[in-house]
Amino acid sequence: MYNKESLAVVWLKRDLRLQDNEAIQNAINTGKRVLLLFVFEEFLLKDPHYDKRHWDFIKESIRDLNKLLLPYNSKVLAVNSEVAATLNQLHQHYTIRDLFSHQETGLLCTYHRDLKIKRYCHNNLISWKENIWNGVLRGIQNRKGWIGQWKEYMESPQFSFHPKNQLLTLHEIEELEKQFSSTDLATPENSPIQKGGVTEGLRYQNSFFKERYLSYTKGISKSELSRESCSRLSPYLAWGNLSTRQVWQAAKAIRPLSKNKKDLDAFTAKLKWQAHFIQKFEMEHTMEDSSMNKGYQMLKKNISIKYQKAWEQGQTGVPMIDACMRCMNETGYLNFRMRAMIVSFFTHLLWQPWQDCAVYLSKMFIDFEPGIHFAQVQMQAGETGVNTLRIYNPIKNGYELDTNADFIRKWVPELAHLQTKHIHEPYSMTPLEQGLYNLKLGIDYPHPIIDLKANRQRASKILWEMKNDPIVMQENNRILEKHTLNNTSLNIAG
Ligand SMILES: Cc1cc2nc3c(=O)[nH]c(=O)nc-3n(C[C@H](O)[C@H](O)[C@H](O)COP(=O)(O)OP(=O)(O)OC[C@H]3O[C@@H](n4cnc5c(N)ncnc54)[C@H](O)[C@@H]3O)c2cc1C
């Protein structure tokens, strides 16, 4: 029997980059040759939170990594399989004693998968080293000292990518590919959704820091302007094309000469929020499908498939909501306020359970990041107890944030020819006006599917009353105790 070469394997997950990738650095440090592996796992491909758009983003990221790896005569081994089965297969050719990845704060199904891999590694004498992801810590009981540790992490040096001829060669990887069901990495050319990859991520980062950030706070909630003036870095952070530390340090580097420190600081504050929410999810994983404040678990809402479908398809008869939904379905992106408003509409005005919109939105947002997503959906649904209850008025928000109705015109073209005030409130048009504009409500565009005012009052009454429920109040204390950051500029309760 011949001695098989011992390999260090990097299992890429949501860290699809070469620079500032601790798992790759740790593998290189073993001095062994290194294989970069991505597994398209069957159970995740089928998971209801994911959509083809996410897998396309990942494929684009891997294609980009392969380009960046060309000077090293290497590429990523991307296979359709399960992780343990892949390692078993690799074992036939190499000895694997070292596996490296980041520690994933993900869905319950990925956590269970990780437990399985842990057992597999234990049984097969593989040491699996998981590194910290963007400063999120596992196993802590509260947030004492957390923000200081996070800041220290952000300010510490990045890991640079310097393999010493250690990467498996293109030829070797192509030989391995023959052993697996390979994945076609092609994706649609002309998609309106942001494309994945380090190169794309850096392009967004550079254009943001060059100029776009100058109107960051001015545009942050505006439906149209925000698409330019916000960084649009969320998918690159969520899939790890860029580490938060890379972006944080790039922002700090331009700060001394920046023409607008206020907007730059507002942006870096958001990066703290990102870690804060993911840390919260790490410490409260049941948030994926149960209200974090257990008092709200007694809130029962009747499911209306009709309402849910109208909301999903942008056919509610409320133009600002319909514009947001259609825009998100097509482009995978909305700014924070629009996301909050469509969740409020679904959970308050349609009075539907937040869990149902959480799954749909996770599929649509190209930046789906479980740690931020579930916490935000619960917050916007008003079911945390500790955050201010906000029931958004979509008409008022339309007038304020899409004043000339450019956004609605673009996404609800059947209203585009109307005067601005009619676009925001088409249901208030008289039959004469409808005739004048050649628009028949109920045929060309739906009547509002609900009574906005009455439904708002119902939601407000029930949710404000629930704030005084003893279990809700008891849970508030528990949540504040566990998740509040003390003595920081990051003023987020719970
Ligand atoms: C219901 C709902 C669901 C959301 N789901 C996600 C999600 O799955 N993934 C996701 O990345 N963001 C989510 N967000 C937060 C926020 O809307 C997006 O991060 C932001 O709109 C992304 O655009 P940007 O990159 O241009 O943001 P910028 O304003 O340029 O912010 C820079 C980065 O900071 C982080 N960030 C910004 N705002 C927040 C916030 N409020 N909370 C936490 N982190 C923030 C993101 O990583 C973002 O990329 C959600 C918000 C709501 C209300």
Side-chain angles (χ1 to χ4, degrees), residues 216 230-234 237 267 270-271 273-274 277 333-334 336 339-340 343 367-369 372-373 376-377:
Y216 182 68
C230 282
S231 71
R232 306 292 302 269
L233 286 172
S234 52
L237 291 167
F267 167 76
K270 286 289 182 340
L271 295 176
W273 283 56
Q274 182 227 27
F277 280 108
Y333 179 82
L334 285 177
F336 175 83
R339 295 184 197 209
V343 170
D367 58 21
F368 170 49
E369 166 56 71
I372 303 176
H373 190 71
Q376 279 293 352
V377 171

PDB file of all heavy atoms in Angstrom, residues 216 230-234 237 267 270-271 273-274 277 333-334 336 339-340 343 367-369 372-373 376-377, ligand 1:
ATOM      1  N   TYR A 216     -25.067  59.209   1.501  1.00  0.00           N
ATOM      2  CA  TYR A 216     -25.537  58.018   2.219  1.00  0.00           C
ATOM      3  C   TYR A 216     -26.748  58.310   3.110  1.00  0.00           C
ATOM      4  O   TYR A 216     -27.801  57.701   2.964  1.00  0.00           O
ATOM      5  CB  TYR A 216     -24.380  57.429   3.037  1.00  0.00           C
ATOM      6  CG  TYR A 216     -24.746  56.168   3.786  1.00  0.00           C
ATOM      7  CD1 TYR A 216     -25.028  55.000   3.089  1.00  0.00           C
ATOM      8  CD2 TYR A 216     -24.829  56.150   5.172  1.00  0.00           C
ATOM      9  CE1 TYR A 216     -25.377  53.843   3.761  1.00  0.00           C
ATOM     10  CE2 TYR A 216     -25.172  55.000   5.851  1.00  0.00           C
ATOM     11  CZ  TYR A 216     -25.440  53.847   5.140  1.00  0.00           C
ATOM     12  OH  TYR A 216     -25.793  52.695   5.806  1.00  0.00           O
ATOM     13  N   CYS A 230     -26.728  53.957  -1.044  1.00  0.00           N
ATOM     14  CA  CYS A 230     -26.324  52.951  -0.052  1.00  0.00           C
ATOM     15  C   CYS A 230     -25.192  52.141  -0.674  1.00  0.00           C
ATOM     16  O   CYS A 230     -24.995  52.149  -1.888  1.00  0.00           O
ATOM     17  CB  CYS A 230     -27.495  52.058   0.321  1.00  0.00           C
ATOM     18  SG  CYS A 230     -28.630  52.850   1.464  1.00  0.00           S
ATOM     19  N   SER A 231     -24.456  51.441   0.160  1.00  0.00           N
ATOM     20  CA  SER A 231     -23.255  50.778  -0.371  1.00  0.00           C
ATOM     21  C   SER A 231     -23.578  49.631  -1.318  1.00  0.00           C
ATOM     22  O   SER A 231     -22.816  49.327  -2.213  1.00  0.00           O
ATOM     23  CB  SER A 231     -22.397  50.254   0.777  1.00  0.00           C
ATOM     24  OG  SER A 231     -23.029  49.143   1.382  1.00  0.00           O
ATOM     25  N   ARG A 232     -24.706  48.953  -1.099  1.00  0.00           N
ATOM     26  CA  ARG A 232     -25.088  47.732  -1.830  1.00  0.00           C
ATOM     27  C   ARG A 232     -24.060  46.618  -1.594  1.00  0.00           C
ATOM     28  O   ARG A 232     -23.883  45.717  -2.418  1.00  0.00           O
ATOM     29  CB  ARG A 232     -25.238  47.997  -3.345  1.00  0.00           C
ATOM     30  CG  ARG A 232     -26.183  49.147  -3.690  1.00  0.00           C
ATOM     31  CD  ARG A 232     -27.613  48.814  -3.346  1.00  0.00           C
ATOM     32  NE  ARG A 232     -28.103  47.626  -4.004  1.00  0.00           N
ATOM     33  CZ  ARG A 232     -28.730  47.623  -5.185  1.00  0.00           C
ATOM     34  NH1 ARG A 232     -28.950  48.762  -5.796  1.00  0.00           N
ATOM     35  NH2 ARG A 232     -29.163  46.491  -5.720  1.00  0.00           N
ATOM     36  N   LEU A 233     -23.403  46.693  -0.448  1.00  0.00           N
ATOM     37  CA  LEU A 233     -22.384  45.672  -0.153  1.00  0.00           C
ATOM     38  C   LEU A 233     -22.978  44.437   0.537  1.00  0.00           C
ATOM     39  O   LEU A 233     -22.275  43.447   0.743  1.00  0.00           O
ATOM     40  CB  LEU A 233     -21.272  46.277   0.721  1.00  0.00           C
ATOM     41  CG  LEU A 233     -20.319  47.212  -0.024  1.00  0.00           C
ATOM     42  CD1 LEU A 233     -19.372  47.917   0.941  1.00  0.00           C
ATOM     43  CD2 LEU A 233     -19.507  46.444  -1.068  1.00  0.00           C
ATOM     44  N   SER A 234     -24.260  44.505   0.901  1.00  0.00           N
ATOM     45  CA  SER A 234     -24.819  43.424   1.727  1.00  0.00           C
ATOM     46  C   SER A 234     -24.636  42.016   1.143  1.00  0.00           C
ATOM     47  O   SER A 234     -24.256  41.105   1.891  1.00  0.00           O
ATOM     48  CB  SER A 234     -26.285  43.695   2.053  1.00  0.00           C
ATOM     49  OG  SER A 234     -27.016  43.959   0.890  1.00  0.00           O
ATOM     50  N   LEU A 237     -21.065  40.906   1.691  1.00  0.00           N
ATOM     51  CA  LEU A 237     -20.767  40.603   3.097  1.00  0.00           C
ATOM     52  C   LEU A 237     -21.452  39.297   3.503  1.00  0.00           C
ATOM     53  O   LEU A 237     -20.869  38.463   4.192  1.00  0.00           O
ATOM     54  CB  LEU A 237     -21.233  41.755   3.990  1.00  0.00           C
ATOM     55  CG  LEU A 237     -20.439  43.049   3.830  1.00  0.00           C
ATOM     56  CD1 LEU A 237     -21.149  44.217   4.504  1.00  0.00           C
ATOM     57  CD2 LEU A 237     -19.032  42.886   4.412  1.00  0.00           C
ATOM     58  N   PHE A 267     -22.159  54.994   7.923  1.00  0.00           N
ATOM     59  CA  PHE A 267     -22.019  53.702   7.240  1.00  0.00           C
ATOM     60  C   PHE A 267     -21.292  52.684   8.136  1.00  0.00           C
ATOM     61  O   PHE A 267     -21.758  51.549   8.299  1.00  0.00           O
ATOM     62  CB  PHE A 267     -21.264  53.890   5.916  1.00  0.00           C
ATOM     63  CG  PHE A 267     -20.799  52.610   5.312  1.00  0.00           C
ATOM     64  CD1 PHE A 267     -21.698  51.770   4.673  1.00  0.00           C
ATOM     65  CD2 PHE A 267     -19.471  52.215   5.412  1.00  0.00           C
ATOM     66  CE1 PHE A 267     -21.288  50.559   4.141  1.00  0.00           C
ATOM     67  CE2 PHE A 267     -19.046  51.007   4.870  1.00  0.00           C
ATOM     68  CZ  PHE A 267     -19.961  50.184   4.234  1.00  0.00           C
ATOM     69  N   LYS A 270     -23.299  51.003  10.683  1.00  0.00           N
ATOM     70  CA  LYS A 270     -24.169  49.929  10.181  1.00  0.00           C
ATOM     71  C   LYS A 270     -23.426  48.587  10.208  1.00  0.00           C
ATOM     72  O   LYS A 270     -24.028  47.539  10.402  1.00  0.00           O
ATOM     73  CB  LYS A 270     -24.642  50.240   8.761  1.00  0.00           C
ATOM     74  CG  LYS A 270     -25.699  51.316   8.701  1.00  0.00           C
ATOM     75  CD  LYS A 270     -26.982  50.775   9.262  1.00  0.00           C
ATOM     76  CE  LYS A 270     -28.189  51.649   9.254  1.00  0.00           C
ATOM     77  NZ  LYS A 270     -28.149  53.047   9.143  1.00  0.00           N
ATOM     78  N   LEU A 271     -22.119  48.640  10.009  1.00  0.00           N
ATOM     79  CA  LEU A 271     -21.356  47.390  10.031  1.00  0.00           C
ATOM     80  C   LEU A 271     -21.380  46.783  11.442  1.00  0.00           C
ATOM     81  O   LEU A 271     -21.335  45.574  11.602  1.00  0.00           O
ATOM     82  CB  LEU A 271     -19.917  47.623   9.555  1.00  0.00           C
ATOM     83  CG  LEU A 271     -19.776  48.061   8.089  1.00  0.00           C
ATOM     84  CD1 LEU A 271     -18.320  48.352   7.763  1.00  0.00           C
ATOM     85  CD2 LEU A 271     -20.329  47.006   7.134  1.00  0.00           C
ATOM     86  N   TRP A 273     -23.969  47.065  13.413  1.00  0.00           N
ATOM     87  CA  TRP A 273     -25.302  46.481  13.517  1.00  0.00           C
ATOM     88  C   TRP A 273     -25.320  45.073  12.928  1.00  0.00           C
ATOM     89  O   TRP A 273     -25.978  44.185  13.435  1.00  0.00           O
ATOM     90  CB  TRP A 273     -26.314  47.336  12.739  1.00  0.00           C
ATOM     91  CG  TRP A 273     -26.717  48.582  13.429  1.00  0.00           C
ATOM     92  CD1 TRP A 273     -25.892  49.575  13.883  1.00  0.00           C
ATOM     93  CD2 TRP A 273     -28.044  48.996  13.750  1.00  0.00           C
ATOM     94  NE1 TRP A 273     -26.629  50.580  14.438  1.00  0.00           N
ATOM     95  CE2 TRP A 273     -27.966  50.250  14.367  1.00  0.00           C
ATOM     96  CE3 TRP A 273     -29.294  48.435  13.535  1.00  0.00           C
ATOM     97  CZ2 TRP A 273     -29.078  50.941  14.801  1.00  0.00           C
ATOM     98  CZ3 TRP A 273     -30.409  49.126  13.965  1.00  0.00           C
ATOM     99  CH2 TRP A 273     -30.301  50.363  14.593  1.00  0.00           C
ATOM    100  N   GLN A 274     -24.602  44.939  11.824  1.00  0.00           N
ATOM    101  CA  GLN A 274     -24.569  43.633  11.158  1.00  0.00           C
ATOM    102  C   GLN A 274     -24.113  42.569  12.149  1.00  0.00           C
ATOM    103  O   GLN A 274     -24.780  41.557  12.371  1.00  0.00           O
ATOM    104  CB  GLN A 274     -23.615  43.709   9.947  1.00  0.00           C
ATOM    105  CG  GLN A 274     -23.538  42.435   9.149  1.00  0.00           C
ATOM    106  CD  GLN A 274     -22.105  42.041   8.839  1.00  0.00           C
ATOM    107  OE1 GLN A 274     -21.183  42.381   9.570  1.00  0.00           O
ATOM    108  NE2 GLN A 274     -21.929  41.307   7.772  1.00  0.00           N
ATOM    109  N   PHE A 277     -26.595  41.903  15.175  1.00  0.00           N
ATOM    110  CA  PHE A 277     -27.749  41.038  14.912  1.00  0.00           C
ATOM    111  C   PHE A 277     -27.322  39.584  14.758  1.00  0.00           C
ATOM    112  O   PHE A 277     -28.011  38.676  15.224  1.00  0.00           O
ATOM    113  CB  PHE A 277     -28.508  41.525  13.672  1.00  0.00           C
ATOM    114  CG  PHE A 277     -29.410  42.685  13.994  1.00  0.00           C
ATOM    115  CD1 PHE A 277     -29.110  43.963  13.578  1.00  0.00           C
ATOM    116  CD2 PHE A 277     -30.553  42.486  14.757  1.00  0.00           C
ATOM    117  CE1 PHE A 277     -29.936  45.031  13.897  1.00  0.00           C
ATOM    118  CE2 PHE A 277     -31.393  43.548  15.085  1.00  0.00           C
ATOM    119  CZ  PHE A 277     -31.073  44.822  14.657  1.00  0.00           C
ATOM    120  N   TYR A 333     -33.254  43.282  -4.202  1.00  0.00           N
ATOM    121  CA  TYR A 333     -32.805  44.305  -3.252  1.00  0.00           C
ATOM    122  C   TYR A 333     -33.880  45.335  -2.954  1.00  0.00           C
ATOM    123  O   TYR A 333     -34.593  45.787  -3.856  1.00  0.00           O
ATOM    124  CB  TYR A 333     -31.578  45.045  -3.797  1.00  0.00           C
ATOM    125  CG  TYR A 333     -31.080  46.131  -2.862  1.00  0.00           C
ATOM    126  CD1 TYR A 333     -30.255  45.822  -1.780  1.00  0.00           C
ATOM    127  CD2 TYR A 333     -31.452  47.465  -3.047  1.00  0.00           C
ATOM    128  CE1 TYR A 333     -29.818  46.812  -0.907  1.00  0.00           C
ATOM    129  CE2 TYR A 333     -31.013  48.457  -2.172  1.00  0.00           C
ATOM    130  CZ  TYR A 333     -30.197  48.121  -1.105  1.00  0.00           C
ATOM    131  OH  TYR A 333     -29.766  49.101  -0.241  1.00  0.00           O
ATOM    132  N   LEU A 334     -33.968  45.723  -1.690  1.00  0.00           N
ATOM    133  CA  LEU A 334     -34.722  46.897  -1.228  1.00  0.00           C
ATOM    134  C   LEU A 334     -33.911  47.510  -0.108  1.00  0.00           C
ATOM    135  O   LEU A 334     -33.194  46.792   0.607  1.00  0.00           O
ATOM    136  CB  LEU A 334     -36.078  46.489  -0.653  1.00  0.00           C
ATOM    137  CG  LEU A 334     -37.211  46.068  -1.584  1.00  0.00           C
ATOM    138  CD1 LEU A 334     -38.415  45.646  -0.749  1.00  0.00           C
ATOM    139  CD2 LEU A 334     -37.609  47.205  -2.538  1.00  0.00           C
ATOM    140  N   PHE A 336     -33.464  49.416   3.666  1.00  0.00           N
ATOM    141  CA  PHE A 336     -33.962  49.004   4.988  1.00  0.00           C
ATOM    142  C   PHE A 336     -35.419  49.410   5.206  1.00  0.00           C
ATOM    143  O   PHE A 336     -36.262  48.612   5.605  1.00  0.00           O
ATOM    144  CB  PHE A 336     -33.066  49.607   6.081  1.00  0.00           C
ATOM    145  CG  PHE A 336     -33.573  49.324   7.459  1.00  0.00           C
ATOM    146  CD1 PHE A 336     -33.289  48.129   8.081  1.00  0.00           C
ATOM    147  CD2 PHE A 336     -34.368  50.248   8.117  1.00  0.00           C
ATOM    148  CE1 PHE A 336     -33.781  47.847   9.343  1.00  0.00           C
ATOM    149  CE2 PHE A 336     -34.868  49.975   9.379  1.00  0.00           C
ATOM    150  CZ  PHE A 336     -34.571  48.776   9.997  1.00  0.00           C
ATOM    151  N   ARG A 339     -37.935  47.449   3.307  1.00  0.00           N
ATOM    152  CA  ARG A 339     -38.065  46.084   3.865  1.00  0.00           C
ATOM    153  C   ARG A 339     -38.953  46.117   5.100  1.00  0.00           C
ATOM    154  O   ARG A 339     -39.832  45.285   5.283  1.00  0.00           O
ATOM    155  CB  ARG A 339     -36.687  45.526   4.243  1.00  0.00           C
ATOM    156  CG  ARG A 339     -35.771  45.316   3.075  1.00  0.00           C
ATOM    157  CD  ARG A 339     -34.451  44.655   3.498  1.00  0.00           C
ATOM    158  NE  ARG A 339     -33.453  44.824   2.457  1.00  0.00           N
ATOM    159  CZ  ARG A 339     -32.458  43.999   2.220  1.00  0.00           C
ATOM    160  NH1 ARG A 339     -32.306  42.927   2.966  1.00  0.00           N
ATOM    161  NH2 ARG A 339     -31.594  44.218   1.266  1.00  0.00           N
ATOM    162  N   ALA A 340     -38.686  47.122   5.952  1.00  0.00           N
ATOM    163  CA  ALA A 340     -39.471  47.233   7.188  1.00  0.00           C
ATOM    164  C   ALA A 340     -40.946  47.445   6.850  1.00  0.00           C
ATOM    165  O   ALA A 340     -41.835  46.850   7.475  1.00  0.00           O
ATOM    166  CB  ALA A 340     -38.932  48.391   8.023  1.00  0.00           C
ATOM    167  N   VAL A 343     -42.766  44.301   5.579  1.00  0.00           N
ATOM    168  CA  VAL A 343     -43.007  43.353   6.683  1.00  0.00           C
ATOM    169  C   VAL A 343     -44.153  43.861   7.547  1.00  0.00           C
ATOM    170  O   VAL A 343     -45.050  43.106   7.936  1.00  0.00           O
ATOM    171  CB  VAL A 343     -41.729  43.143   7.532  1.00  0.00           C
ATOM    172  CG1 VAL A 343     -42.043  42.353   8.800  1.00  0.00           C
ATOM    173  CG2 VAL A 343     -40.662  42.422   6.724  1.00  0.00           C
ATOM    174  N   ASP A 367     -29.145  39.164  -0.424  1.00  0.00           N
ATOM    175  CA  ASP A 367     -28.206  39.231   0.704  1.00  0.00           C
ATOM    176  C   ASP A 367     -28.693  38.426   1.905  1.00  0.00           C
ATOM    177  O   ASP A 367     -28.259  38.685   3.027  1.00  0.00           O
ATOM    178  CB  ASP A 367     -27.986  40.698   1.116  1.00  0.00           C
ATOM    179  CG  ASP A 367     -29.284  41.409   1.509  1.00  0.00           C
ATOM    180  OD1 ASP A 367     -30.268  40.729   1.850  1.00  0.00           O
ATOM    181  OD2 ASP A 367     -29.301  42.658   1.466  1.00  0.00           O
ATOM    182  N   PHE A 368     -29.573  37.435   1.690  1.00  0.00           N
ATOM    183  CA  PHE A 368     -30.149  36.714   2.833  1.00  0.00           C
ATOM    184  C   PHE A 368     -29.056  36.276   3.829  1.00  0.00           C
ATOM    185  O   PHE A 368     -28.190  35.480   3.510  1.00  0.00           O
ATOM    186  CB  PHE A 368     -30.945  35.491   2.352  1.00  0.00           C
ATOM    187  CG  PHE A 368     -31.364  34.577   3.465  1.00  0.00           C
ATOM    188  CD1 PHE A 368     -31.983  35.090   4.598  1.00  0.00           C
ATOM    189  CD2 PHE A 368     -31.123  33.211   3.393  1.00  0.00           C
ATOM    190  CE1 PHE A 368     -32.366  34.253   5.651  1.00  0.00           C
ATOM    191  CE2 PHE A 368     -31.504  32.370   4.434  1.00  0.00           C
ATOM    192  CZ  PHE A 368     -32.119  32.889   5.567  1.00  0.00           C
ATOM    193  N   GLU A 369     -29.180  36.835   5.002  1.00  0.00           N
ATOM    194  CA  GLU A 369     -28.212  36.546   6.079  1.00  0.00           C
ATOM    195  C   GLU A 369     -29.073  36.181   7.296  1.00  0.00           C
ATOM    196  O   GLU A 369     -29.711  37.057   7.899  1.00  0.00           O
ATOM    197  CB  GLU A 369     -27.382  37.817   6.335  1.00  0.00           C
ATOM    198  CG  GLU A 369     -26.570  37.846   7.604  1.00  0.00           C
ATOM    199  CD  GLU A 369     -25.623  36.678   7.722  1.00  0.00           C
ATOM    200  OE1 GLU A 369     -24.644  36.652   6.981  1.00  0.00           O
ATOM    201  OE2 GLU A 369     -25.874  35.795   8.559  1.00  0.00           O
ATOM    202  N   ILE A 372     -29.277  38.393  10.512  1.00  0.00           N
ATOM    203  CA  ILE A 372     -29.921  39.711  10.463  1.00  0.00           C
ATOM    204  C   ILE A 372     -31.411  39.535  10.160  1.00  0.00           C
ATOM    205  O   ILE A 372     -32.270  40.172  10.760  1.00  0.00           O
ATOM    206  CB  ILE A 372     -29.296  40.604   9.367  1.00  0.00           C
ATOM    207  CG1 ILE A 372     -27.789  40.763   9.583  1.00  0.00           C
ATOM    208  CG2 ILE A 372     -29.966  41.961   9.325  1.00  0.00           C
ATOM    209  CD1 ILE A 372     -27.082  41.550   8.479  1.00  0.00           C
ATOM    210  N   HIS A 373     -31.664  38.629   9.258  1.00  0.00           N
ATOM    211  CA  HIS A 373     -33.001  38.526   8.681  1.00  0.00           C
ATOM    212  C   HIS A 373     -34.100  38.226   9.714  1.00  0.00           C
ATOM    213  O   HIS A 373     -35.088  38.961   9.810  1.00  0.00           O
ATOM    214  CB  HIS A 373     -32.976  37.445   7.605  1.00  0.00           C
ATOM    215  CG  HIS A 373     -34.201  37.396   6.786  1.00  0.00           C
ATOM    216  ND1 HIS A 373     -34.517  38.360   5.863  1.00  0.00           N
ATOM    217  CD2 HIS A 373     -35.231  36.517   6.770  1.00  0.00           C
ATOM    218  CE1 HIS A 373     -35.668  38.067   5.301  1.00  0.00           C
ATOM    219  NE2 HIS A 373     -36.126  36.957   5.840  1.00  0.00           N
ATOM    220  N   GLN A 376     -34.648  41.005  12.274  1.00  0.00           N
ATOM    221  CA  GLN A 376     -35.279  42.190  11.699  1.00  0.00           C
ATOM    222  C   GLN A 376     -36.752  41.946  11.420  1.00  0.00           C
ATOM    223  O   GLN A 376     -37.588  42.806  11.689  1.00  0.00           O
ATOM    224  CB  GLN A 376     -34.570  42.606  10.405  1.00  0.00           C
ATOM    225  CG  GLN A 376     -33.304  43.394  10.615  1.00  0.00           C
ATOM    226  CD  GLN A 376     -33.559  44.776  11.217  1.00  0.00           C
ATOM    227  OE1 GLN A 376     -34.687  45.205  11.351  1.00  0.00           O
ATOM    228  NE2 GLN A 376     -32.495  45.450  11.596  1.00  0.00           N
ATOM    229  N   VAL A 377     -37.074  40.781  10.889  1.00  0.00           N
ATOM    230  CA  VAL A 377     -38.482  40.495  10.591  1.00  0.00           C
ATOM    231  C   VAL A 377     -39.289  40.543  11.890  1.00  0.00           C
ATOM    232  O   VAL A 377     -40.358  41.157  11.957  1.00  0.00           O
ATOM    233  CB  VAL A 377     -38.637  39.135   9.868  1.00  0.00           C
ATOM    234  CG1 VAL A 377     -40.117  38.748   9.776  1.00  0.00           C
ATOM    235  CG2 VAL A 377     -38.040  39.188   8.469  1.00  0.00           C
TER     236      VAL A 377
HETATM  237  C1  LIG B   1     -37.121  42.732   7.329  1.00  0.00           C
HETATM  238  C2  LIG B   1     -35.654  42.975   7.094  1.00  0.00           C
HETATM  239  C3  LIG B   1     -34.855  41.943   6.666  1.00  0.00           C
HETATM  240  C4  LIG B   1     -33.490  42.156   6.449  1.00  0.00           C
HETATM  241  N1  LIG B   1     -32.742  41.102   6.005  1.00  0.00           N
HETATM  242  C5  LIG B   1     -31.422  41.295   5.782  1.00  0.00           C
HETATM  243  C6  LIG B   1     -30.614  40.204   5.300  1.00  0.00           C
HETATM  244  O1  LIG B   1     -31.088  39.070   5.121  1.00  0.00           O
HETATM  245  N2  LIG B   1     -29.298  40.463   5.066  1.00  0.00           N
HETATM  246  C7  LIG B   1     -28.742  41.699   5.276  1.00  0.00           C
HETATM  247  O2  LIG B   1     -27.550  41.878   5.039  1.00  0.00           O
HETATM  248  N3  LIG B   1     -29.491  42.713   5.756  1.00  0.00           N
HETATM  249  C8  LIG B   1     -30.807  42.560   6.004  1.00  0.00           C
HETATM  250  N4  LIG B   1     -31.543  43.609   6.474  1.00  0.00           N
HETATM  251  C9  LIG B   1     -30.871  44.864   6.872  1.00  0.00           C
HETATM  252  C10 LIG B   1     -30.750  45.961   5.802  1.00  0.00           C
HETATM  253  O3  LIG B   1     -31.978  46.238   5.224  1.00  0.00           O
HETATM  254  C11 LIG B   1     -29.734  45.609   4.728  1.00  0.00           C
HETATM  255  O4  LIG B   1     -28.520  45.202   5.321  1.00  0.00           O
HETATM  256  C12 LIG B   1     -29.397  46.796   3.849  1.00  0.00           C
HETATM  257  O5  LIG B   1     -30.574  47.320   3.304  1.00  0.00           O
HETATM  258  C13 LIG B   1     -28.435  46.335   2.767  1.00  0.00           C
HETATM  259  O6  LIG B   1     -28.147  47.368   1.871  1.00  0.00           O
HETATM  260  P1  LIG B   1     -26.693  48.032   1.802  1.00  0.00           P
HETATM  261  O7  LIG B   1     -25.651  46.987   1.734  1.00  0.00           O
HETATM  262  O8  LIG B   1     -26.741  49.024   0.712  1.00  0.00           O
HETATM  263  O9  LIG B   1     -26.651  48.706   3.223  1.00  0.00           O
HETATM  264  P2  LIG B   1     -25.761  49.906   3.878  1.00  0.00           P
HETATM  265  O10 LIG B   1     -26.736  50.860   4.389  1.00  0.00           O
HETATM  266  O11 LIG B   1     -24.789  50.386   2.858  1.00  0.00           O
HETATM  267  O12 LIG B   1     -25.076  49.190   5.068  1.00  0.00           O
HETATM  268  C14 LIG B   1     -23.812  48.519   5.008  1.00  0.00           C
HETATM  269  C15 LIG B   1     -23.916  47.153   5.624  1.00  0.00           C
HETATM  270  O13 LIG B   1     -24.282  47.229   6.998  1.00  0.00           O
HETATM  271  C16 LIG B   1     -25.151  46.153   7.335  1.00  0.00           C
HETATM  272  N5  LIG B   1     -26.457  46.690   7.708  1.00  0.00           N
HETATM  273  C17 LIG B   1     -27.073  47.779   7.216  1.00  0.00           C
HETATM  274  N6  LIG B   1     -28.245  47.986   7.844  1.00  0.00           N
HETATM  275  C18 LIG B   1     -28.372  47.010   8.742  1.00  0.00           C
HETATM  276  C19 LIG B   1     -29.362  46.685   9.709  1.00  0.00           C
HETATM  277  N7  LIG B   1     -30.445  47.423   9.881  1.00  0.00           N
HETATM  278  N8  LIG B   1     -29.179  45.604  10.477  1.00  0.00           N
HETATM  279  C20 LIG B   1     -28.067  44.851  10.340  1.00  0.00           C
HETATM  280  N9  LIG B   1     -27.099  45.104   9.463  1.00  0.00           N
HETATM  281  C21 LIG B   1     -27.242  46.174   8.663  1.00  0.00           C
HETATM  282  C22 LIG B   1     -25.284  45.287   6.078  1.00  0.00           C
HETATM  283  O14 LIG B   1     -24.300  44.277   6.130  1.00  0.00           O
HETATM  284  C23 LIG B   1     -24.977  46.285   4.975  1.00  0.00           C
HETATM  285  O15 LIG B   1     -24.481  45.695   3.807  1.00  0.00           O
HETATM  286  C24 LIG B   1     -32.927  43.423   6.700  1.00  0.00           C
HETATM  287  C25 LIG B   1     -33.735  44.453   7.148  1.00  0.00           C
HETATM  288  C26 LIG B   1     -35.091  44.243   7.329  1.00  0.00           C
HETATM  289  C27 LIG B   1     -35.963  45.366   7.804  1.00  0.00           C
END
